[in-house]
Amino acid sequence: MSGSPTKRDGVLEAWGRVSRPAAEVLGEDIEAITEGSPLSRGLGRSYGDSALPARIGGSVSTTTLADRLIAFDPESGELHAEAGLSLREIFRIFLPRNFYVASTPGTSFVTLGGMVAADVHGKSHHSAGTIGRHVLGLKMRLADESIVWCTPQERSELFWATVGGMGLTGHILEVRMRLERLPSPWIWSRSERVPNLKVLIAKLHETAKTWPMSVAWIDTTSTGDKLGRGILDVGRWAEPGEAPSEPPRQKPRITMPDIFPRWLINPVTIRMFNFLWYWKHWQPRREGVVHPEAFFYPLDMLARWNRAYGRGGTFTQYQCVLPMGNDEAPVEFLKLLQSLGGDSFLTVVKDCGPEGQGTLSFPREGISLATDLRLGPKTQGIVDALNAFVIAEGGRIYLAKDMLTRPADYAAMDPRVEQFMNVRRRFDPELRLRSAQSVRLFGDPPEVS
Amino acid sequence: MRKVVFVGATKGMGRALSRRMAERGDRLFLLGRDSEELGKAATDLSVRGKGESVAHGALDLESPDGFDAALDAADAALGGFDTVVITAAMFATQEKLEEDADFALRLLRVNFAHTVALCENARKRLLARGGGTLCVFSSVAGDRGRKPVAIYGASKAGLSHYLESLDHKFRAQGLVTICVKPGFVKTGATAHLSPPPFAGEPEPVAEMVLRAIDRGTPLIYAPSIWRLVMLAIRHMPRAVMRKVGF
Ligand SMILES: Cc1cc2nc3c(=O)[nH]c(=O)nc-3n(C[C@H](O)[C@H](O)[C@H](O)COP(=O)(O)OP(=O)(O)OC[C@H]3O[C@@H](n4cnc5c(N)ncnc54)[C@H](O)[C@@H]3O)c2cc1C
Ligand SMILES: NC(=O)c1ccc[n+]([C@@H]2O[C@H](COP(=O)([O-])OP(=O)(O)OC[C@H]3O[C@@H](n4cnc5c(N)ncnc54)[C@H](OP(=O)(O)O)[C@@H]3O)[C@@H](O)[C@H]2O)c1
């Protein structure tokens, strides 16, 4: 009786506010809620259709009530927990003990399962790789309903297909991962204004040698020799002598009401926002101790900021990585984006280190660019044109953000898809596990036969 | 540091509140009906806590015969508890309760008669040792007779009534009684319903309740906006209540 799953018919939304009718299955017992289910979902922070059901009204298991800790070893930093545990809880519990994940996305509102399924990367990618590098084992429910453990040693093909596999190889029930031991729970950071994208990329390469964490935010609207001017943030965990003696407290957040008109975000306000963001950093350079939440999760202070796109307003994020070697490519990319009329709030630029072992893991050595695009009649054309550019450069896009890429384009970007599909078929011959994204990109049939 | 007996720590707001207690170093003893779930909750709390491992024992709110033994076990494990928290209860929609008379009767017993019996047992123990804190979750559903919560609401109305009287009668003798009235909070119990405006999350509710326990606040609405919502609802004329659906 206890832990019996609950089903709710309703509508599920992706972070970009595209939605789809779905039957959401919720409950504390993660084995019970995933039984017979075609897809798991965490906190729904993927922008596109990866956590939406394959068919309209299809069922999806939401893991967020399954969030118990199972073990933690302060000697090795090994954490064992249920897959619905949020990164926000890990922050709250483990930062004061001087431990944290070695790789974090730009929001703490994600679950362990979602982090592994997307093989997330963050400011530390050039030094620590993706989260997959720190995962020691996954307890999974497979398509045939069996429950197994896989690790980098045991069932390693399944393990690496699951890391970055967007929920398509099985339901992640429990995660064992190593947390990084920190000198203190505070961040020492340096930020500086950078006049254009060319200089920025040179600086990213240079700072990567000495700083374990870095990221840059660029103005998408400036042109000429100011093209891609921005703010470069670099950081490291502070040494005990530099940090306040109290651990940082999680900051309260304000929830954005759903009251904004859709026209609020338009080329004029976007230009203003970009301008202000650049000049709010009024000193050319700042350095010192900052709160880890301000450093990693500046947007988390405003819960549901996706409502700024207005009632009924939807958006997507286009994120690609352009391989090492051609430092002109990001500049060309930005020019192309501007010429396509893809006005955007900030674009995030990050240098990625070597590719991880996840079969479909997104990052590879090069420059990653991520930019928000309001969904409208022109957006498909913009994404197609950006994808053509990315294919020509030998890059690829990030599935956790994607909504509009066409299957042929994705296949052209990522030859690893074949290997991924082989592993999937081996464990799930009928492709029972599927999402709206896998129907769109991998040609899965929407209806289960 | 408190020594807390906790009934309902396996799920929902009880899970969130027991976690905050363990994290700040309170000692806990969990009571409940499902020993496997209790074991998992105890492990979660032990990992969060400051070193001490959390133990648990059996208590089913449907079987009042076991209450005395359960509180004995808690007393023995904690060396005399000073705080009792009860979040456990049954919940079902009015349709379900109208259809299933047996289930309705079980719910009335668990939420009202048996919860009061458990509180009485705990009250006597606490008073015998000079006082303590009794924190029990009732509901805004008990504040006004309303169509969608006729039966569940009645069980909680009775409970709220009892808890208020306890506080009046025994506060001078050192027993602090806290009645928590949650509004709609997103937990497994309400997962099948689509959240109304002002729906809350268990974590902020847990923080509010912990503050109330420490300050001895006798009545709290959580999230606090529900105090205003219920003020308005309590003052609505009967003619209006008969028309509206909530
Ligand atoms: C503001 C913001 C900033 C972001 N910054 C970054 C960043 O810097 N780097 C980065 O890498 N990503 C970033 N992301 C993307 C985010 O990290 C990923 O989309 C992540 O997967 C979201 O986790 P979630 O729990 O919300 O999963 P959901 O969005 O609910 O699901 C994402 C995918 O994971 C699968 N999944 C979820 N749980 C399980 C499970 N238990 N078992 C199997 N599959 C599962 C789903 O099926 C789906 O395919 C950002 C997102 C936002 C909103
Ligand atoms: N959620 C809301 O919107 C809301 C609104 C108003 C009031 N409330 C009240 O707030 C309290 C907590 O609600 P919640 O939503 O957090 O509930 P929940 O998630 O459903 O948790 C209920 C808890 O009660 C335990 N329990 C149930 N029946 C029991 C029994 N017979 N014996 C022992 N333990 C039992 C459960 O243990 P198992 O693990 O054994 O199931 C579980 O730990 C309840 O009193 C509820 O009435 C809730």
Side-chain angles (χ1 to χ4, degrees), chain B residues 39-77:
Chain B
K40 288 181 179 174
T43 304
D44 173 77
L45 295 172
S46 304
V47 176
R48 287 162 186 266
K50 303 210 154 144
E52 205 163 335
S53 83
V54 175
H56 58 90
L59 178 138
D60 187 341
L61 278 176
E62 301 211 46
S63 324
D65 291 348
F67 291 176
D68 210 39
L71 292 182
D72 279 347
D75 256 337

Side-chain angles (χ1 to χ4, degrees), chain A residues 265-306:
Chain A
I265 292 184
N266 60 53
V268 177
T269 50
I270 285 179
R271 197 168 280 277
M272 265 165 52
F273 180 86
N274 274 288
F275 179 85
L276 289 174
W277 181 273
Y278 184 73
W279 288 109
K280 119 182 145 54
H281 203 278
W282 50 275
Q283 310 112 310
R285 181 184 272 211
R286 275 198 291 243
E287 182 156 356
V289 170
V290 298
H291 194 292
E293 225 177 344
F295 184 71
F296 290 120
Y297 315 120
L299 292 170
D300 282 358
M301 269 44 129
L302 197 57
R304 298 298 310 265
W305 57 260
N306 59 351

Side-chain angles (χ1 to χ4, degrees), chain A residues 66-122:
Chain A
D67 66 345
R68 284 180 294 215
L69 303 179
I70 299 166
F72 178 68
D73 178 0
E75 293 299 313
S76 63
E78 187 181 328
L79 171 68
H80 180 185
E82 293 176 340
L85 182 71
S86 73
L87 185 54
R88 209 170 158 73
E89 274 289 282
I90 297 180
F91 185 102
R92 201 172 64 77
I93 304 160
F94 291 103
L95 258 195
R97 303 188 191 181
N98 286 3
F99 280 100
Y100 201 48
V101 290
S103 166
T104 165
T107 172
S108 60
F109 289 93
V110 293
T111 61
L112 277 180
M115 289 173 75
V116 174
D119 195 17
V120 295
H121 63 282

Side-chain angles (χ1 to χ4, degrees), chain A residues 211-274:
Chain A
W211 294 85
M213 296 186 264
S214 64
V215 75
W217 312 71
I218 62 171
D219 173 348
T220 339
T221 52
S222 57
T223 53
D225 58 4
K226 292 194 196 118
L227 183 87
R229 65 178 176 183
I231 314 287
L232 170 65
D233 280 343
V234 295
R236 58 172 169 76
W237 292 102
E239 291 304 320
E242 298 162 339
S245 52
E246 284 289 296
R249 290 179 66 90
Q250 220 155 31
K251 300 188 174 174
R253 32 182 194 124
I254 317 165
T255 300
M256 182 93 121
D258 199 7
I259 51 168
F260 298 102
R262 271 199 255 178
W263 51 258
L264 189 68
I265 292 184
N266 60 53
V268 177
T269 50
I270 285 179
R271 197 168 280 277
M272 265 165 52
F273 180 86
N274 274 288

Side-chain angles (χ1 to χ4, degrees), chain A residues 1-4 6-9 26-29 64-72 79 82 85 89 92-94 97 253, chain B residues 10-12 15 19-20 23 33-34 37 40-41 43-44 47-49 106 186-188 190-195 201 203 207:
Chain A
M1 135 124 222
S2 68
S4 54
T6 301
K7 203 165 193 162
R8 172 167 67 205
D9 288 313
L26 287 135
E28 286 84 358
D29 183 344
T64 49
L65 293 175
D67 66 345
R68 284 180 294 215
L69 303 179
I70 299 166
F72 178 68
L79 171 68
E82 293 176 340
L85 182 71
E89 274 289 282
R92 201 172 64 77
I93 304 160
F94 291 103
R97 303 188 191 181
R253 32 182 194 124
Chain B
T10 50
K11 289 181 186 153
R15 181 182 281 196
R19 283 174 170 178
R20 272 153 187 80
E23 284 161 13
R33 55 184 170 168
D34 181 333
E37 288 298 298
K40 288 181 179 174
T43 304
D44 173 77
V47 176
R48 287 162 186 266
R106 275 174 58 201
K186 295 181 208 163
T187 67
T190 54
H192 57 294
L193 306 169
S194 48
E201 302 278 348
E203 289 76 22
E207 263 152 39

Side-chain angles (χ1 to χ4, degrees), chain A residues 16-19 262 309-316 373-376:
Chain A
R17 305 206 74 185
V18 283
S19 60
R262 271 199 255 178
Y309 280 84
R311 298 194 102 166
T314 52
F315 63 107
T316 182
L373 299 172
R374 168 205 278 294
L375 284 177

